[in-house]
Structures are given as C-alpha cells and as structure tokens.
C-alpha cells in the first residue's frame, strides 16, 4: 500500500488452505491421529502417539474420496472407504422432468444411495397436493439403468487398471476408477434389495385385493341364492 493510501479491509476465507514447506512432504494415512497447532507466528504438527527415531511421520488429509484426493493432492488410494460417485439424475414423467442433484453415492456413511435421490422420482410422480410419496418399481428400474450404464462405461478399462504399476499416475487413476466401480456395484446391490422388497409388497397388495374381490363375489352369490 502506497504512502497515504488507505489500507484495504481485512478479509478472511474460511477453510482456505495454504502451502507449508516441509509439512507438505508428509504422506496421507487415513485415521492417523495428529493435531495442528498455530499461534505466536508459528505452526506446529503433533502426533498423538509416540514416534520412534527413523519412523515415518504421516499426515491426515481427512475423510476424502479419491476424486477429492486426485483433485487437491494428485494421488488416489486403493480401497478408499470414502469413495463416492457424484452426479445428477434427470427424472422424467408424462409432463414434467426434474433434475435431481448433485448427489453422491457411497461415502462410507453406511447407506450407499442417498435418500434425496430416491425422493426425486416420487416428487415428479405426485398428481395432487398432499398425495403420499411412493417410489414405484419403474422408478427403481430407472435408477438401476443409470447406475448400470455408468458402470458399463468403466468396465472397459478394468483390465488395464489392474495392470497399472503402483505409485504411478496411471495407478492413481486406476484406484479412482476402481472406487467408482465398487460404489456403483454396491448401489446396484442396494437397489436390488429395494426392488425385491417393493415387488414383494406389491404382490401382497394384489393378493389382498384379489381376496377382497373374491369375498365380495361370494357374498353377492349368497345373496342371490337366498333371494331366489
């Protein structure tokens, strides 16, 4: 700032990272117990457990998917439990369509398919205010087609990915694609369970309706007999 000029107002970017010489050389290891301390014009890196001489020190970049690790740090890990498949899903109905997303499958939180992705088709199918949301078998099949199509596009490189030399850029890309395939297969398996449960529910409803209709017919027949 030149002499006599007014200094610009102070700004703060929440969550903005920075480069730290030496510290940035530490490799990432999921679950590593570390602590960052800053103050007095210095930054300190502390390990929660005792470290022996000559032992490698690890950093912990947090619960990041391979997509995030590749984008921010230039590497990816095999069998990353935090892997996600991200995207949008367009739901079509007779007169309407809805773009659902962005959504993330997986992430290591337990459920593979997020609830908001299942709600989208139900909202499009609503015909009147106050109508109860209901996910149809067609909706589940539509999601399955989208997941399967994305998985099919990743199967073309599966053999090459398995042959990639570890520690190379090719292997990092292979780990990313492996994670995508793993999450999509898990999503398809979860969807198959939902489809089986929904199909069983519909069969039970159909049987109940048939039983009710049969009972009504029997009552009608008994009435006619008594009248005659």
């Amino acid at each position: 700032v030149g002499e006599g000029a007014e200094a610009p107002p102070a700004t703060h970017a929440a969550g903005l990272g920075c480069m730290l010489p030496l510290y940035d050389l530490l490799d990432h290891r999921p679950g590593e117990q570390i602590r960052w301390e800053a103050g007095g014009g210095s930054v300190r890196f502390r390990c929660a457990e005792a470290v022996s001489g000559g032992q490698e020190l690890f950093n912990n970049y947090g619960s990041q998917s391979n997509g995030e690790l590749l984008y921010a740090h230039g590497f990816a890990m095999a069998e990353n439990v935090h892997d996600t498949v991200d995207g949008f899903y367009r739901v079509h109905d007779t007169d309407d369509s809805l773009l659902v997303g962005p959504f993330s499958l997986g992430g290591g939180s337990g459920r593979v398919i997020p609830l908001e992705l299942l709600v989208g088709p139900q909202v499009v199918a609503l015909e009147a205010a106050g109508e109860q949301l209901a996910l149809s078998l067609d909706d589940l099949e539509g999601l399955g087609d989208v997941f399967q199509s994305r998985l099919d596009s990743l199967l073309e490189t599966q053999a090459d990915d398995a042959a990639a030399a570890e520690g190379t850029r090719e292997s990092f890309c292979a780990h990313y694609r492996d994670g995508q395939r793993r999450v999509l297969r898990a999503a398809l398996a979860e969807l198959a369970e939902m489809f089986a449960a929904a199909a069983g529910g519909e069969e039970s409803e159909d049987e109940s309706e048939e039983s009710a209709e049969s009972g009504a017919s029997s009552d009608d027949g008994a009435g006619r007999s008594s009248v005659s």
Side-chain angles (χ1 to χ4, degrees):
V1 180
E3 185 176 353
E6 183 177 351
T11 59
H12 173 68
L16 182 64
C18 64
M19 297 294 292
L20 293 173
L22 184 60
Y23 290 129
D24 288 318
L25 297 175
L26 298 176
D27 285 338
H28 165 63
R29 185 160 71 180
E32 188 74 9
Q33 299 299 310
I34 57 98
R35 185 172 69 251
W36 288 95
E37 299 175 352
S42 65
V43 175
R44 291 173 293 279
F45 175 88
R46 296 188 183 275
C47 299
E49 299 178 355
V51 180
S52 303
Q55 185 177 347
E56 182 178 0
L57 296 179
F58 289 95
N59 195 354
N60 186 345
Y61 299 168
S63 303
Q64 297 189 38
S65 68
N66 274 339
E68 293 172 308
L69 290 175
L70 269 177
Y71 180 78
H73 308 288
F75 74 95
M77 304 177 61
E79 301 295 329
N80 188 342
V81 297
H82 302 294
D83 271 332
T84 61
V85 172
D86 307 309
F88 291 84
Y89 173 55
R90 184 170 293 280
V91 183
H92 296 279
D93 196 32
T94 306
D95 301 314
D96 303 302
S97 73
L98 175 69
L99 189 64
V100 181
F103 67 85
S104 293
L105 304 176
S109 60
R111 189 183 185 93
V112 181
I113 305 174
L115 290 176
E116 56 266 29
L117 185 56
L118 301 175
V119 170
Q122 301 178 55
V123 172
V124 172
L126 289 178
E127 297 180 354
E131 185 178 352
Q132 186 175 1
L133 295 176
L135 191 65
S136 70
L137 294 179
D138 288 341
D139 295 329
L140 294 176
E141 286 183 347
L143 280 174
D145 290 342
V146 172
F147 297 164
Q148 188 63 56
S149 175
R150 194 153 176 182
L151 176 59
D152 289 343
S153 69
L154 289 162
L155 295 179
E156 301 173 1
T157 63
Q158 189 165 358
D160 291 337
D161 291 341
E166 192 60 39
T168 63
R169 183 173 58 182
E170 289 76 13
S171 72
F172 297 150
C173 294
H175 292 328
Y176 167 76
R177 287 189 290 263
D178 282 341
Q180 299 291 287
R181 287 187 286 262
R182 187 176 62 254
V183 171
L184 286 167
R185 288 186 176 113
L188 285 167
E190 189 171 280
L191 209 56
E193 293 179 358
M194 296 172 60
F195 189 91
E202 287 194 1
E203 288 179 2
S204 298
E205 290 180 4
D206 292 341
E207 290 174 359
S208 298
E209 290 177 0
E210 290 177 2
S211 177
E213 290 175 0
S214 176
S217 299
S218 298
D219 291 342
D220 291 343
R224 287 192 294 272
S225 297
S226 63
V227 169
S228 62

